[in-house]
Amino acid sequence: MQIRYCYTWTENNTPPLEGNDCPSLENKVKDSRKEQPMPSHSDLILNAFIIFLPLIFYRPFYKDKQPLFMYVLFLIPMIITMTFPVKIFDSVIDLRGIPLVIGSLYGGLYTTFLLFGSLLAYRQLLGDIDLFHYFLSLLPTIVLLLFLSKSYEKASANKRMLLVSGICFFLRVTVVNLYALLEGKTSFFMESFVPSLPIIFVQCIMAMMLVFMIEMIRTQNRMQEDIIQAEKMKVVSEIAASVAHEVRNPLTSVRGFIQLLSDPVLSDRKRKEFSTITLEELDRAESIISDYLSLAKPQSERLEPIVLEEELNKASQILSSYANLQSVEIVTDIALPATVYGSKSKFRQAIINIGKNAIEAMPGGGMLTLTYTVNEPKRTVTITIADTGIGMNEEQIKRLGAPYYTTKDKGTGLGTMVIFSVIRGMNGTIDVRSKEGAGTTYFITLPLTQH
């Protein structure tokens, strides 16, 4: 009696059918045509989504590389894909190898052992398998992963994609074929494995895509860290430039008054007056440095009434030495008393910055006018600071006050930025009008103090 043998390799690795009741090949083909289900593309998309699930949680923890976290992160998609494989194109797509390989390479030694141990335990739970044979079929992949782990850490993103693709292909080839040989199914390679090669290549491509996305996340995180570090360094450089700029103003005044003090024909009254202003300017420089040193621990600034007549006259005196060196005449035109509210030191600093910029805009000499007008109905005062310098065009006026924009060759733009910041802090507005070759005028409008 002739005995026919046939082998059916199922996704659960059940033993082969054998015996006289094995259906003929012709009937089997006919039955398969009748019972062939339509390809489940939705299941494939769902499994692909599950494979890429670790991307959602990988970003916040990529740097820590905690073995337990990486284990859980890739264990979940591995278990789900084992539980719900996809039946499509006369084959079964089991994507467990993708999280298994990628989780091992990115998680390290402990994650590798945990993932493979969980794979063996859960596969035993599913049943219909020789666990020892299955372990032997996985052993070459475990050895390969341990061997390539160090090289993988040093590899570039493109090389990592190729390595993961190759390891996933190696895993699929060795596991199913070694297990078939250990189970005595010598014909499995040609009958079942070779026809499933296109599906294996699809899995390898999916693994490459997952690695590509992980590497994109790592690159973006590194770029973000570099940007944060660069921003910190930029802040340090900005503070240093700002300190140098603000300290240079009082030091310029001190230098001018010291030169005037060396004049032998200077009267004692003037000498005493210049000495007082020099000491005040040195104190202002010290105050500016102290303010910047206290940035890390800011304190509430002192707000007080500011008598405009006194402050404009004081600013005029401070600027007089620098104006004399530039052949600039300072004129103050004050008719009515007016008082505003704010930080006296910052307000004086803003007025001096405007005056210094105006003097520098008149290299061939000219006139600087400081005045203000009071609008009683609106309870505002408008300070006017005008020069007869080189002026500015419309584009330059629009950009005034922007961080680090300056019209001077050696300027930093911080002085003008401080001016706008101080005036806004006093609930005021600033309007600049200028014309090239015809000078520049600042109109600063501030609210008057309430009596």
Side-chain angles (χ1 to χ4, degrees):
M1 180 177 62
Q2 184 180 5
I3 300 176
R4 292 181 291 106
Y5 294 91
C6 70
Y7 300 94
T8 304
W9 190 259
T10 67
E11 68 259 30
N12 291 326
N13 298 311
T14 56
L17 298 173
E18 60 179 297
N20 293 331
D21 57 345
C22 182
S24 66
L25 181 61
E26 182 180 357
N27 293 333
K28 187 175 181 181
V29 171
K30 291 180 179 179
D31 292 341
S32 65
R33 287 175 181 172
K34 294 178 181 180
E35 299 175 4
Q36 175 82 18
M38 292 297 291
S40 181
H41 299 292
S42 59
D43 290 343
L44 177 61
I45 294 173
L46 179 61
N47 270 255
F49 172 77
I50 293 169
I51 288 299
F52 291 100
L53 190 64
L55 294 173
I56 301 174
F57 306 98
Y58 182 73
R59 181 185 292 273
F61 303 98
Y62 89 101
K63 199 172 182 180
D64 297 338
K65 198 179 178 180
Q66 298 178 357
L68 185 59
F69 168 76
M70 298 295 290
Y71 162 67
V72 174
L73 189 63
F74 288 93
L75 172 68
I76 295 173
M78 185 181 74
I79 295 298
I80 294 175
T81 53
M82 290 176 66
T83 308
F84 306 103
V86 181
K87 298 177 181 179
I88 189 170
F89 300 133
D90 297 326
S91 182
V92 176
I93 300 179
D94 187 341
L95 303 178
R96 75 184 79 172
I98 297 176
L100 178 67
V101 171
I102 295 178
S104 299
L105 290 172
Y106 282 95
L109 180 65
Y110 294 110
T111 305
T112 302
F113 289 137
L114 287 171
L115 285 175
F116 275 91
S118 301
L119 172 65
L120 290 170
Y122 191 67
R123 190 62 192 85
Q124 176 66 22
L125 186 64
L126 292 177
D128 296 327
I129 193 172
D130 187 318
L131 190 62
F132 180 69
H133 288 172
Y134 190 52
F135 169 73
L136 291 178
S137 63
L138 287 172
L139 194 57
T141 305
I142 298 175
V143 174
L144 181 63
L145 285 170
L146 296 176
F147 177 75
L148 293 177
S149 60
K150 294 296 182 182
S151 301
Y152 191 82
E153 291 179 1
K154 301 176 182 178
S156 62
N158 292 334
K159 192 173 180 181
R160 287 186 174 192
M161 292 168 60
L162 293 175
L163 283 172
V164 165
S165 177
I167 295 172
C168 285
F169 183 79
F170 178 82
L171 170 67
R172 184 74 176 184
V173 170
T174 55
V175 170
V176 295
N177 287 289
L178 282 177
Y179 188 83
L181 289 175
L182 292 172
E183 291 289 304
K185 302 175 180 65
T186 55
S187 61
F188 171 77
F189 181 80
M190 293 303 299
E191 292 179 358
S192 298
F193 177 75
V194 173
S196 67
L197 280 176
I199 304 298
I200 297 175
F201 288 129
V202 170
Q203 296 179 50
C204 293
I205 292 173
M206 292 178 65
M208 292 178 66
M209 291 173 60
L210 180 56
V211 172
F212 174 77
M213 294 181 183
I214 290 176
E215 291 302 317
M216 285 287 291
I217 292 174
R218 291 164 64 92
T219 301
Q220 290 175 359
N221 284 353
R222 283 193 293 265
M223 289 176 62
Q224 186 176 5
E225 292 171 358
D226 292 341
I227 290 172
I228 292 173
Q229 187 64 28
E231 285 293 330
K232 291 180 180 178
M233 295 303 298
K234 182 181 178 182
V235 169
V236 172
S237 63
E238 288 173 0
I239 291 176
S242 180
V243 170
H245 180 274
E246 300 304 331
V247 171
R248 190 179 292 117
N249 286 343
L251 291 182
T252 302
S253 300
V254 169
R255 178 184 177 86
F257 281 113
I258 290 176
Q259 289 176 341
L260 292 174
L261 287 171
S262 63
D263 189 353
V265 298
L266 193 66
S267 64
D268 291 340
R269 186 180 65 82
K270 284 290 185 181
R271 194 180 300 276
K272 185 177 180 180
E273 181 182 344
F274 291 166
S275 298
T276 302
I277 296 175
T278 300
L279 291 174
E280 289 178 354
E281 286 300 286
L282 288 174
D283 291 338
R284 189 164 73 91
E286 182 183 3
S287 175
I288 291 170
I289 294 173
S290 299
D291 289 342
Y292 279 101
L293 290 176
S294 63
L295 279 176
K297 194 177 181 181
Q299 301 175 354
S300 57
E301 60 185 21
R302 181 185 176 188
L303 302 178
E304 56 187 325
I306 301 172
V307 180
L308 290 183
E309 181 180 3
E310 295 179 1
E311 287 304 314
L312 292 184
N313 286 329
K314 195 70 174 178
S316 176
Q317 288 181 333
I318 293 170
L319 291 168
S320 61
S321 62
Y322 189 53
N324 290 335
L325 294 175
Q326 302 291 331
S327 301
V328 173
E329 179 185 359
I330 301 178
V331 177
T332 56
D333 184 9
I334 300 170
L336 297 174
T339 305
V340 296
Y341 196 73
S343 172
K344 186 179 291 186
S345 61
K346 287 187 176 180
F347 177 73
R348 184 185 299 177
Q349 180 181 347
I351 298 300
I352 290 173
N353 283 349
I354 297 175
K356 184 173 179 291
N357 289 340
I359 292 171
E360 291 175 349
M362 296 181 282
M367 179 179 293
L368 173 63
T369 304
L370 304 176
T371 185
Y372 63 83
T373 57
V374 177
N375 188 331
E376 283 292 347
K378 293 184 178 180
R379 298 296 300 163
T380 60
V381 58
T382 300
I383 304 168
T384 304
I385 305 175
D387 65 63
T388 58
I390 58 177
M392 294 180 288
N393 56 38
E394 289 294 330
E395 180 64 25
Q396 290 172 324
I397 294 174
K398 289 179 182 178
R399 297 185 63 185
L400 279 180
Y404 306 103
Y405 174 74
T406 178
T407 58
K408 296 181 288 187
D409 293 337
K410 297 183 179 179
T412 63
L414 291 168
T416 308
M417 188 172 64
V418 168
I419 294 167
F420 280 77
S421 176
V422 170
I423 300 306
R424 282 195 298 265
M426 296 176 67
N427 298 321
T429 60
I430 183 166
D431 181 30
V432 183
R433 300 175 189 175
S434 183
K435 186 177 180 181
E436 289 184 300
T440 302
T441 304
Y442 282 77
F443 296 94
I444 301 172
T445 303
L446 296 169
L448 291 169
T449 56
Q450 300 295 326
H451 296 296

